[in-house]
Coordinates of all heavy atoms in Angstrom, one line a residue:
L302 N 9.1 44.1 -31.1 CA 9.7 45.5 -30.8 C 11.1 45.6 -31.4 O 11.4 46.7 -31.9 CB 9.6 45.7 -29.3 CG 8.2 45.8 -28.7 CD1 8.3 46.0 -27.2 CD2 7.4 46.9 -29.3
I303 N 11.9 44.6 -31.3 CA 13.2 44.6 -31.9 C 13.2 44.8 -33.4 O 14.0 45.6 -34.0 CB 14.0 43.3 -31.5 CG1 14.3 43.3 -30.0 CG2 15.3 43.3 -32.3 CD1 14.8 42.0 -29.5
S304 N 12.3 44.1 -34.1 CA 12.1 44.3 -35.5 C 11.7 45.7 -35.9 O 12.1 46.3 -36.8 CB 11.1 43.3 -36.1 OG 9.8 43.6 -35.6
M305 N 10.8 46.3 -35.0 CA 10.4 47.7 -35.2 C 11.6 48.6 -35.1 O 11.7 49.6 -35.8 CB 9.3 48.1 -34.1 CG 8.0 47.4 -34.4 SD 7.3 48.0 -35.9 CE 7.4 49.7 -35.7
F306 N 12.5 48.3 -34.1 CA 13.6 49.2 -33.9 C 14.5 49.2 -35.1 O 15.0 50.3 -35.5 CB 14.4 48.6 -32.7 CG 15.8 49.2 -32.5 CD1 15.9 50.4 -31.9 CD2 16.9 48.6 -32.9 CE1 17.2 51.0 -31.7 CE2 18.2 49.1 -32.8 CZ 18.3 50.4 -32.1
F307 N 14.8 48.1 -35.8 CA 15.6 48.1 -36.9 C 15.0 48.6 -38.2 O 15.7 48.9 -39.2 CB 16.2 46.7 -37.1 CG 17.2 46.3 -36.1 CD1 16.9 45.4 -35.1 CD2 18.5 46.8 -36.2 CE1 17.9 45.0 -34.2 CE2 19.4 46.5 -35.2 CZ 19.1 45.6 -34.2
K308 N 13.7 48.7 -38.2 CA 13.0 49.2 -39.4 C 12.9 50.7 -39.5 O 12.7 51.3 -40.6 CB 11.5 48.7 -39.4 CG 11.4 47.2 -39.8 CD 9.9 46.8 -39.8 CE 9.8 45.3 -40.2 NZ 8.3 44.9 -40.1
N309 N 13.1 51.4 -38.4 CA 13.0 52.8 -38.4 C 14.4 53.5 -38.0 O 14.9 53.2 -37.0 CB 12.0 53.3 -37.3 CG 11.6 54.7 -37.5 OD1 12.4 55.6 -37.7 ND2 10.3 54.9 -37.3
E310 N 14.9 54.3 -39.0 CA 16.3 54.9 -38.8 C 16.3 55.8 -37.6 O 17.4 55.8 -36.9 CB 16.7 55.6 -40.0 CG 18.1 56.1 -40.0 CD 18.5 56.9 -41.2 OE1 17.7 56.9 -42.2 OE2 19.6 57.5 -41.2
S311 N 15.3 56.5 -37.3 CA 15.3 57.4 -36.1 C 15.4 56.7 -34.8 O 15.9 57.2 -33.8 CB 14.0 58.2 -36.1 OG 12.9 57.4 -35.8
F312 N 15.1 55.4 -34.7 CA 15.2 54.6 -33.5 C 16.7 54.2 -33.3 O 17.2 54.4 -32.2 CB 14.4 53.3 -33.5 CG 12.9 53.6 -33.5 CD1 12.0 52.8 -34.1 CD2 12.4 54.7 -32.8 CE1 10.6 53.0 -34.0 CE2 11.1 55.0 -32.7 CZ 10.2 54.1 -33.3
Y313 N 17.4 53.7 -34.3 CA 18.8 53.2 -34.1 C 19.8 54.4 -34.2 O 21.0 54.1 -34.3 CB 19.1 52.0 -34.9 CG 19.0 52.1 -36.4 CD1 19.9 52.7 -37.2 CD2 17.9 51.5 -37.0 CE1 19.8 52.8 -38.6 CE2 17.7 51.6 -38.4 CZ 18.7 52.2 -39.2 OH 18.5 52.3 -40.6
T314 N 19.3 55.6 -34.2 CA 20.2 56.7 -34.1 C 19.9 57.6 -32.9 O 20.4 58.7 -32.7 CB 20.2 57.6 -35.4 OG1 18.8 58.0 -35.6 CG2 20.7 56.9 -36.6
T315 N 19.0 57.1 -32.0 CA 18.6 57.8 -30.8 C 19.0 57.0 -29.6 O 18.7 55.8 -29.5 CB 17.1 58.0 -30.8 OG1 16.7 58.7 -32.0 CG2 16.6 58.9 -29.6
T316 N 19.7 57.6 -28.6 CA 20.2 56.9 -27.5 C 19.2 56.1 -26.7 O 19.4 54.9 -26.4 CB 20.9 57.9 -26.5 OG1 22.0 58.6 -27.2 CG2 21.5 57.2 -25.3
R317 N 18.1 56.7 -26.4 CA 17.1 56.0 -25.5 C 16.6 54.8 -26.2 O 16.4 53.7 -25.5 CB 15.9 57.0 -25.2 CG 15.1 57.5 -26.4 CD 14.1 58.5 -26.0 NE 13.1 58.0 -25.0 CZ 12.0 58.6 -24.9 NH1 11.6 59.7 -25.6 NH2 11.1 58.1 -24.0
Y318 N 16.4 54.8 -27.5 CA 15.9 53.6 -28.2 C 17.0 52.6 -28.4 O 16.7 51.4 -28.4 CB 15.3 54.0 -29.5 CG 14.1 54.9 -29.4 CD1 14.0 56.2 -29.9 CD2 13.0 54.5 -28.6 CE1 12.9 57.0 -29.7 CE2 11.8 55.3 -28.5 CZ 11.8 56.6 -29.0 OH 10.8 57.4 -28.8
I319 N 18.2 53.0 -28.6 CA 19.4 52.1 -28.7 C 19.5 51.3 -27.4 O 19.6 50.1 -27.4 CB 20.7 52.8 -29.0 CG1 20.6 53.4 -30.4 CG2 21.8 51.8 -28.9 CD1 21.8 54.3 -30.7
L320 N 19.4 52.0 -26.2 CA 19.5 51.3 -24.9 C 18.3 50.4 -24.7 O 18.4 49.4 -24.1 CB 19.6 52.4 -23.8 CG 20.9 53.2 -23.8 CD1 20.8 54.3 -22.7 CD2 22.1 52.3 -23.5
F321 N 17.1 50.9 -25.2 CA 15.9 50.0 -25.1 C 16.1 48.7 -25.9 O 15.8 47.7 -25.4 CB 14.7 50.8 -25.7 CG 13.5 50.0 -25.8 CD1 12.9 49.3 -24.7 CD2 12.8 50.0 -27.0 CE1 11.8 48.6 -24.9 CE2 11.6 49.3 -27.2 CZ 11.1 48.6 -26.1
A322 N 16.7 48.8 -27.1 CA 17.0 47.6 -27.9 C 18.0 46.7 -27.2 O 17.8 45.5 -27.2 CB 17.5 48.0 -29.2
V323 N 19.0 47.3 -26.5 CA 20.0 46.5 -25.8 C 19.3 45.7 -24.6 O 19.5 44.5 -24.4 CB 21.1 47.4 -25.2 CG1 22.0 46.6 -24.2 CG2 22.0 47.9 -26.3
N324 N 18.4 46.4 -24.0 CA 17.6 45.8 -22.9 C 16.7 44.7 -23.4 O 16.6 43.6 -22.8 CB 16.7 46.9 -22.2 CG 16.4 46.6 -20.8 OD1 17.1 45.8 -20.1 ND2 15.3 47.1 -20.3
L325 N 16.1 44.9 -24.5 CA 15.2 43.9 -25.1 C 16.0 42.6 -25.5 O 15.6 41.5 -25.3 CB 14.5 44.4 -26.3 CG 13.3 45.3 -26.1 CD1 12.7 45.8 -27.4 CD2 12.2 44.7 -25.3
L326 N 17.2 42.9 -26.1 CA 18.0 41.7 -26.6 C 18.5 41.0 -25.4 O 18.6 39.7 -25.4 CB 19.2 42.3 -27.4 CG 18.8 42.8 -28.8 CD1 20.0 43.6 -29.4 CD2 18.4 41.6 -29.7
S327 N 18.9 41.7 -24.3 CA 19.4 41.1 -23.1 C 18.3 40.2 -22.4 O 18.6 39.1 -22.0 CB 19.9 42.2 -22.1 OG 20.2 41.6 -20.9
D328 N 17.1 40.8 -22.3 CA 16.0 40.1 -21.7 C 15.6 38.9 -22.5 O 15.3 37.8 -22.0 CB 14.8 41.0 -21.6 CG 14.9 42.0 -20.5 OD1 15.8 41.9 -19.7 OD2 14.0 43.0 -20.4
S329 N 15.6 39.0 -23.9 CA 15.3 37.8 -24.7 C 16.3 36.7 -24.6 O 15.9 35.5 -24.5 CB 15.2 38.3 -26.2 OG 14.3 39.3 -26.4
F330 N 17.6 37.1 -24.5 CA 18.6 36.1 -24.3 C 18.5 35.4 -23.0 O 18.6 34.2 -22.9 CB 20.0 36.8 -24.4 CG 21.2 35.9 -24.1 CD1 21.6 35.0 -25.1 CD2 21.8 35.9 -22.9 CE1 22.7 34.1 -24.8 CE2 22.9 35.0 -22.6 CZ 23.3 34.1 -23.6
L331 N 18.2 36.2 -21.9 CA 18.0 35.6 -20.6 C 16.8 34.7 -20.5 O 16.9 33.6 -19.9 CB 17.8 36.7 -19.6 CG 19.1 37.4 -19.0 CD1 18.7 38.6 -18.1 CD2 19.8 36.4 -18.2
L332 N 15.7 35.1 -21.2 CA 14.5 34.3 -21.2 C 14.8 32.9 -21.8 O 14.4 31.8 -21.3 CB 13.4 34.9 -22.1 CG 12.6 36.0 -21.4 CD1 11.7 36.7 -22.4 CD2 11.8 35.5 -20.2
V333 N 15.5 32.9 -23.0 CA 15.8 31.6 -23.6 C 16.8 30.7 -22.8 O 16.5 29.5 -22.5 CB 16.5 31.9 -25.0 CG1 17.0 30.6 -25.7 CG2 15.5 32.6 -25.9
V334 N 17.9 31.3 -22.3 CA 18.9 30.5 -21.6 C 18.3 30.0 -20.2 O 18.5 28.8 -19.9 CB 20.2 31.3 -21.4 CG1 21.2 30.5 -20.5 CG2 20.8 31.7 -22.7
S335 N 17.7 30.9 -19.5 CA 17.1 30.5 -18.2 C 16.0 29.5 -18.3 O 15.9 28.6 -17.5 CB 16.6 31.7 -17.4 OG 15.5 32.4 -18.1
D336 N 15.2 29.6 -19.4 CA 14.2 28.6 -19.7 C 14.8 27.3 -20.0 O 14.3 26.2 -19.5 CB 13.3 29.1 -20.9 CG 12.1 28.2 -21.1 OD1 11.4 27.9 -20.1 OD2 11.9 27.8 -22.3
I337 N 15.8 27.2 -20.8 CA 16.5 25.9 -21.0 C 17.0 25.3 -19.8 O 16.9 24.1 -19.5 CB 17.6 26.1 -22.1 CG1 17.1 26.5 -23.4 CG2 18.5 24.9 -22.2 CD1 18.1 27.0 -24.4
L338 N 17.7 26.1 -18.9 CA 18.2 25.6 -17.6 C 17.1 25.1 -16.7 O 17.2 24.1 -16.0 CB 19.0 26.7 -16.9 CG 20.4 27.1 -17.6 CD1 21.1 28.1 -16.7 CD2 21.3 25.8 -17.7
L339 N 16.0 25.8 -16.7 CA 14.8 25.4 -15.9 C 14.3 24.1 -16.4 O 14.0 23.2 -15.5 CB 13.7 26.5 -16.1 CG 12.4 26.2 -15.2 CD1 12.7 26.5 -13.8 CD2 11.3 27.1 -15.7
I340 N 14.2 23.8 -17.7 CA 13.8 22.5 -18.2 C 14.7 21.4 -17.8 O 14.3 20.3 -17.4 CB 13.6 22.6 -19.7 CG1 12.4 23.5 -20.1 CG2 13.3 21.2 -20.3 CD1 12.3 23.9 -21.5
L341 N 16.0 21.7 -17.9 CA 17.1 20.7 -17.5 C 17.0 20.4 -16.1 O 17.1 19.2 -15.7 CB 18.5 21.3 -17.8 CG 18.8 21.5 -19.3 CD1 20.2 22.2 -19.4 CD2 18.9 20.2 -20.0
V342 N 16.7 21.4 -15.2 CA 16.6 21.1 -13.7 C 15.4 20.3 -13.4 O 15.4 19.4 -12.6 CB 16.6 22.5 -13.0 CG1 16.3 22.2 -11.5 CG2 18.0 23.1 -13.0
F343 N 14.2 20.7 -14.1 CA 13.0 20.0 -13.8 C 13.1 18.5 -14.2 O 12.5 17.7 -13.5 CB 11.8 20.6 -14.6 CG 11.1 21.7 -13.9 CD1 10.7 22.9 -14.5 CD2 10.7 21.5 -12.6 CE1 10.0 23.9 -13.9 CE2 10.0 22.5 -11.9 CZ 9.7 23.7 -12.5
F344 N 13.8 18.2 -15.2 CA 13.9 16.8 -15.7 C 15.2 16.1 -15.3 O 15.6 15.1 -15.8 CB 13.7 16.7 -17.2 CG 12.3 17.1 -17.6 CD1 12.0 18.3 -18.1 CD2 11.2 16.2 -17.3 CE1 10.7 18.7 -18.5 CE2 9.9 16.6 -17.7 CZ 9.7 17.8 -18.3
N345 N 16.0 16.8 -14.3 CA 17.2 16.2 -13.8 C 18.2 15.8 -14.8 O 18.9 14.8 -14.8 CB 16.9 15.0 -12.9 CG 16.1 15.4 -11.6 OD1 16.5 16.3 -11.0 ND2 15.1 14.6 -11.3
L346 N 18.4 16.7 -15.8 CA 19.3 16.4 -16.9 C 20.6 17.1 -16.5 O 20.7 18.3 -16.2 CB 18.8 17.0 -18.2 CG 17.5 16.3 -18.7 CD1 17.0 17.0 -20.0 CD2 17.8 14.8 -19.0
T347 N 21.7 16.4 -16.5 CA 23.0 16.9 -16.0 C 24.0 17.0 -17.2 O 23.9 16.3 -18.2 CB 23.6 16.1 -14.9 OG1 23.8 14.7 -15.4 CG2 22.7 16.0 -13.7
F348 N 25.0 17.9 -17.0 CA 26.2 17.8 -18.0 C 27.4 18.3 -17.2 O 27.3 18.7 -16.0 CB 25.9 18.6 -19.2 CG 25.3 20.0 -19.0 CD1 26.1 21.1 -18.8 CD2 24.0 20.2 -19.1 CE1 25.5 22.3 -18.6 CE2 23.4 21.4 -19.0 CZ 24.2 22.5 -18.7
Q349 N 28.6 18.3 -17.9 CA 29.8 18.5 -17.1 C 29.9 20.0 -16.7 O 29.4 20.9 -17.3 CB 31.0 18.2 -18.0 CG 31.2 16.7 -18.2 CD 32.4 16.3 -19.0 OE1 32.7 17.0 -20.0 NE2 33.1 15.3 -18.6
V350 N 30.6 20.1 -15.5 CA 30.7 21.4 -14.9 C 31.4 22.5 -15.7 O 31.0 23.6 -15.7 CB 31.4 21.3 -13.5 CG1 31.7 22.7 -12.9 CG2 30.6 20.5 -12.5

Side-chain angles (χ1 to χ4, degrees):
L302 295 177
I303 290 167
S304 68
M305 287 298 308
F306 170 80
F307 286 108
K308 282 179 181 177
N309 195 318
E310 187 180 350
S311 65
F312 290 149
Y313 55 82
T314 55
T315 306
T316 298
R317 61 188 299 202
Y318 297 120
I319 295 171
L320 292 175
F321 171 53
V323 169
N324 205 22
L325 285 177
L326 289 167
S327 172
D328 283 350
S329 300
F330 175 78
L331 275 174
L332 279 173
V333 172
V334 177
S335 64
D336 184 47
I337 292 168
L338 289 181
L339 183 73
I340 292 169
L341 292 174
V342 169
F343 267 137
F344 294 104
N345 291 316
L346 298 173
T347 61
F348 46 86
Q349 288 185 317
V350 171

